[in-house]
Amino acid sequence: MSRLPAPDRASLDPAAQAVWDRIAAGARGGVGGPFTALIRSPELCSRVEQLGVFIRYECSVPMRLRELAILCVGQHWRADYEWFAHAQIAAQQGVPAAVIAAVGAGAERIPFDAPADAAVVGFTRALLRTGRVPEAEYAAAQALLGDRGTVELTGLVGYYSLLAMQLNTFEVAPPPTVPIPWR
């Protein structure tokens, strides 16, 4: 159960209602997940959500690879809701079920069928685990994504880490029937 009650638009102050309305009318189509906590700070929520629009929907990293990186972030932080929200999208983007399961389990050996997947997972995991990216992982990401994409992938890891921390701090949970690999 969440540490904060589910927000009700009508009970929010006008600034939060304006942010709520913008989010609900945008690409997300509603206020959910980490935004149910963030809406308590309308200015922070607004800025985080706008960064998220770029990171999730507009950055140069291909969507399949974005979703795979998000799964790595969710697994690293054990963010149940983040996993719930993105595992199904990763599958829809063609990430094999065996890869999703291995990432969720934190496995060191992942049965990749695409070198791009391996490059993104290697980069993302290194950054999350050590706060740095070794030369081999950096070179693989750079060769795949170029300067712009590597910068944006790094931003994605930071953005989804921020969301994971919100989700975990305020105990925003997925539906109870959703399987979470680390539980």
Short mmCIF file of all heavy atoms in Angstrom, two decimals, residues 37-65:
data_model
loop_
_atom_site.label_atom_id
_atom_site.label_comp_id
_atom_site.label_asym_id
_atom_site.label_seq_id
_atom_site.Cartn_x
_atom_site.Cartn_y
_atom_site.Cartn_z
N ALA A 37 2.95 10.38 -6.61
CA ALA A 37 3.70 10.98 -5.50
C ALA A 37 4.20 12.37 -5.87
O ALA A 37 4.04 13.33 -5.13
CB ALA A 37 4.87 10.08 -5.10
N LEU A 38 4.79 12.48 -7.06
CA LEU A 38 5.39 13.75 -7.48
C LEU A 38 4.40 14.89 -7.55
O LEU A 38 4.78 16.05 -7.36
CB LEU A 38 6.07 13.57 -8.85
CG LEU A 38 7.40 12.82 -8.84
CD1 LEU A 38 7.75 12.34 -10.24
CD2 LEU A 38 8.49 13.71 -8.27
N ILE A 39 3.13 14.62 -7.79
CA ILE A 39 2.13 15.68 -7.94
C ILE A 39 2.02 16.51 -6.66
O ILE A 39 1.55 17.65 -6.70
CB ILE A 39 0.75 15.10 -8.37
CG1 ILE A 39 -0.16 16.19 -8.93
CG2 ILE A 39 0.08 14.36 -7.23
CD1 ILE A 39 0.22 16.69 -10.29
N ARG A 40 2.49 15.98 -5.53
CA ARG A 40 2.47 16.74 -4.27
C ARG A 40 3.40 17.94 -4.33
O ARG A 40 3.29 18.86 -3.55
CB ARG A 40 2.89 15.85 -3.11
CG ARG A 40 1.79 15.07 -2.41
CD ARG A 40 1.03 14.18 -3.29
NE ARG A 40 0.05 13.40 -2.52
CZ ARG A 40 -0.37 12.23 -2.88
NH1 ARG A 40 0.07 11.65 -3.97
NH2 ARG A 40 -1.28 11.59 -2.16
N SER A 41 4.35 17.91 -5.26
CA SER A 41 5.23 19.06 -5.52
C SER A 41 5.02 19.44 -6.98
O SER A 41 5.73 18.94 -7.86
CB SER A 41 6.69 18.69 -5.26
OG SER A 41 7.53 19.76 -5.66
N PRO A 42 4.06 20.31 -7.26
CA PRO A 42 3.72 20.60 -8.66
C PRO A 42 4.90 21.06 -9.51
O PRO A 42 5.02 20.64 -10.67
CB PRO A 42 2.65 21.70 -8.56
CG PRO A 42 2.09 21.58 -7.19
CD PRO A 42 3.20 21.03 -6.33
N GLU A 43 5.78 21.87 -8.97
CA GLU A 43 6.91 22.36 -9.76
C GLU A 43 7.87 21.22 -10.10
O GLU A 43 8.29 21.08 -11.25
CB GLU A 43 7.65 23.48 -9.03
CG GLU A 43 8.70 24.16 -9.85
CD GLU A 43 8.15 24.91 -11.07
OE1 GLU A 43 7.00 25.36 -11.05
OE2 GLU A 43 8.92 25.06 -12.05
N LEU A 44 8.20 20.40 -9.11
CA LEU A 44 9.07 19.25 -9.38
C LEU A 44 8.39 18.29 -10.35
O LEU A 44 9.00 17.84 -11.32
CB LEU A 44 9.44 18.53 -8.09
CG LEU A 44 10.30 17.27 -8.25
CD1 LEU A 44 11.64 17.60 -8.91
CD2 LEU A 44 10.50 16.59 -6.90
N CYS A 45 7.13 18.00 -10.11
CA CYS A 45 6.39 17.08 -10.97
C CYS A 45 6.39 17.58 -12.41
O CYS A 45 6.64 16.81 -13.35
CB CYS A 45 4.97 16.94 -10.45
SG CYS A 45 3.97 15.73 -11.35
N SER A 46 6.15 18.86 -12.59
CA SER A 46 6.11 19.44 -13.93
C SER A 46 7.44 19.28 -14.65
O SER A 46 7.50 18.86 -15.81
CB SER A 46 5.73 20.92 -13.83
OG SER A 46 5.74 21.52 -15.10
N ARG A 47 8.51 19.58 -13.96
CA ARG A 47 9.83 19.51 -14.58
C ARG A 47 10.25 18.06 -14.86
O ARG A 47 10.81 17.77 -15.92
CB ARG A 47 10.85 20.23 -13.72
CG ARG A 47 10.61 21.73 -13.70
CD ARG A 47 11.48 22.44 -12.69
NE ARG A 47 11.09 23.82 -12.57
CZ ARG A 47 11.88 24.85 -12.89
NH1 ARG A 47 13.09 24.64 -13.36
NH2 ARG A 47 11.45 26.07 -12.72
N VAL A 48 9.98 17.18 -13.92
CA VAL A 48 10.31 15.77 -14.12
C VAL A 48 9.51 15.20 -15.28
O VAL A 48 10.04 14.49 -16.14
CB VAL A 48 10.07 14.96 -12.81
CG1 VAL A 48 10.13 13.46 -13.06
CG2 VAL A 48 11.09 15.36 -11.74
N GLU A 49 8.23 15.52 -15.33
CA GLU A 49 7.37 15.00 -16.39
C GLU A 49 7.81 15.49 -17.76
O GLU A 49 7.83 14.73 -18.72
CB GLU A 49 5.92 15.40 -16.11
CG GLU A 49 4.92 14.65 -16.96
CD GLU A 49 4.60 15.32 -18.29
OE1 GLU A 49 4.79 16.54 -18.40
OE2 GLU A 49 4.17 14.62 -19.22
N GLN A 50 8.21 16.74 -17.85
CA GLN A 50 8.66 17.27 -19.14
C GLN A 50 9.95 16.60 -19.59
O GLN A 50 10.11 16.29 -20.77
CB GLN A 50 8.82 18.78 -19.07
CG GLN A 50 7.49 19.51 -19.07
CD GLN A 50 6.67 19.20 -20.31
OE1 GLN A 50 7.04 19.58 -21.41
NE2 GLN A 50 5.56 18.49 -20.13
N LEU A 51 10.88 16.38 -18.67
CA LEU A 51 12.08 15.63 -19.02
C LEU A 51 11.69 14.23 -19.48
O LEU A 51 12.22 13.72 -20.47
CB LEU A 51 13.04 15.56 -17.83
CG LEU A 51 14.30 14.70 -18.02
CD1 LEU A 51 15.15 15.21 -19.17
CD2 LEU A 51 15.09 14.64 -16.72
N GLY A 52 10.74 13.64 -18.78
CA GLY A 52 10.29 12.30 -19.13
C GLY A 52 9.67 12.19 -20.50
O GLY A 52 9.82 11.17 -21.18
N VAL A 53 8.96 13.22 -20.91
CA VAL A 53 8.38 13.20 -22.26
C VAL A 53 9.49 13.04 -23.29
O VAL A 53 9.40 12.24 -24.21
CB VAL A 53 7.53 14.47 -22.53
CG1 VAL A 53 7.19 14.61 -24.01
CG2 VAL A 53 6.26 14.45 -21.70
N PHE A 54 10.57 13.80 -23.10
CA PHE A 54 11.70 13.68 -24.04
C PHE A 54 12.35 12.31 -23.92
O PHE A 54 12.53 11.61 -24.93
CB PHE A 54 12.73 14.79 -23.81
CG PHE A 54 13.96 14.55 -24.64
CD1 PHE A 54 13.94 14.81 -26.00
CD2 PHE A 54 15.11 14.03 -24.09
CE1 PHE A 54 15.05 14.55 -26.79
CE2 PHE A 54 16.22 13.76 -24.86
CZ PHE A 54 16.20 14.03 -26.22
N ILE A 55 12.71 11.91 -22.71
CA ILE A 55 13.44 10.66 -22.51
C ILE A 55 12.63 9.46 -23.00
O ILE A 55 13.15 8.61 -23.72
CB ILE A 55 13.82 10.47 -21.02
CG1 ILE A 55 14.85 11.50 -20.57
CG2 ILE A 55 14.30 9.05 -20.74
CD1 ILE A 55 16.23 11.34 -21.16
N ARG A 56 11.37 9.41 -22.65
CA ARG A 56 10.57 8.21 -22.98
C ARG A 56 10.07 8.18 -24.42
O ARG A 56 9.99 7.12 -25.03
CB ARG A 56 9.38 8.10 -22.03
CG ARG A 56 8.59 6.84 -22.29
CD ARG A 56 7.67 6.50 -21.19
NE ARG A 56 6.91 5.29 -21.54
CZ ARG A 56 5.78 4.95 -20.98
NH1 ARG A 56 5.26 5.68 -20.04
NH2 ARG A 56 5.17 3.86 -21.35
N TYR A 57 9.73 9.35 -24.96
CA TYR A 57 9.05 9.35 -26.26
C TYR A 57 9.84 9.97 -27.41
O TYR A 57 9.50 9.73 -28.56
CB TYR A 57 7.71 10.09 -26.14
CG TYR A 57 6.78 9.49 -25.12
CD1 TYR A 57 6.58 10.11 -23.90
CD2 TYR A 57 6.13 8.29 -25.37
CE1 TYR A 57 5.72 9.57 -22.95
CE2 TYR A 57 5.28 7.73 -24.43
CZ TYR A 57 5.08 8.38 -23.21
OH TYR A 57 4.25 7.82 -22.28
N GLU A 58 10.86 10.76 -27.12
CA GLU A 58 11.49 11.53 -28.18
C GLU A 58 12.99 11.37 -28.34
O GLU A 58 13.54 11.82 -29.34
CB GLU A 58 11.18 13.02 -27.98
CG GLU A 58 9.69 13.32 -27.96
CD GLU A 58 9.36 14.73 -27.50
OE1 GLU A 58 10.29 15.53 -27.24
OE2 GLU A 58 8.16 15.04 -27.38
N CYS A 59 13.67 10.76 -27.40
CA CYS A 59 15.13 10.71 -27.50
C CYS A 59 15.55 9.81 -28.66
O CYS A 59 14.76 9.03 -29.20
CB CYS A 59 15.76 10.30 -26.18
SG CYS A 59 15.86 8.56 -25.81
N SER A 60 16.81 9.92 -29.03
CA SER A 60 17.30 9.21 -30.22
C SER A 60 17.58 7.73 -30.00
O SER A 60 17.78 6.98 -30.95
CB SER A 60 18.57 9.90 -30.73
OG SER A 60 19.62 9.77 -29.80
N VAL A 61 17.60 7.28 -28.76
CA VAL A 61 17.81 5.86 -28.47
C VAL A 61 16.55 5.11 -28.94
O VAL A 61 15.44 5.47 -28.54
CB VAL A 61 18.07 5.63 -26.97
CG1 VAL A 61 18.22 4.13 -26.66
CG2 VAL A 61 19.29 6.41 -26.50
N PRO A 62 16.70 4.09 -29.77
CA PRO A 62 15.52 3.35 -30.25
C PRO A 62 14.68 2.82 -29.08
O PRO A 62 15.20 2.41 -28.05
CB PRO A 62 16.11 2.21 -31.07
CG PRO A 62 17.44 2.73 -31.52
CD PRO A 62 17.94 3.58 -30.37
N MET A 63 13.38 2.82 -29.28
CA MET A 63 12.45 2.46 -28.20
C MET A 63 12.75 1.10 -27.58
O MET A 63 12.70 0.94 -26.37
CB MET A 63 11.01 2.53 -28.68
CG MET A 63 10.01 2.37 -27.55
SD MET A 63 8.37 2.77 -28.13
CE MET A 63 7.43 2.43 -26.65
N ARG A 64 13.05 0.11 -28.38
CA ARG A 64 13.38 -1.22 -27.85
C ARG A 64 14.53 -1.13 -26.86
O ARG A 64 14.49 -1.71 -25.77
CB ARG A 64 13.73 -2.16 -29.00
CG ARG A 64 14.28 -3.52 -28.56
CD ARG A 64 14.85 -4.28 -29.75
NE ARG A 64 15.61 -5.43 -29.34
CZ ARG A 64 15.23 -6.68 -29.53
NH1 ARG A 64 14.09 -6.96 -30.13
NH2 ARG A 64 16.00 -7.68 -29.14
N LEU A 65 15.56 -0.37 -27.22
CA LEU A 65 16.74 -0.25 -26.36
C LEU A 65 16.44 0.61 -25.13
O LEU A 65 16.96 0.33 -24.04
CB LEU A 65 17.91 0.33 -27.16
CG LEU A 65 18.35 -0.54 -28.35
CD1 LEU A 65 19.47 0.15 -29.11
CD2 LEU A 65 18.75 -1.94 -27.90
#
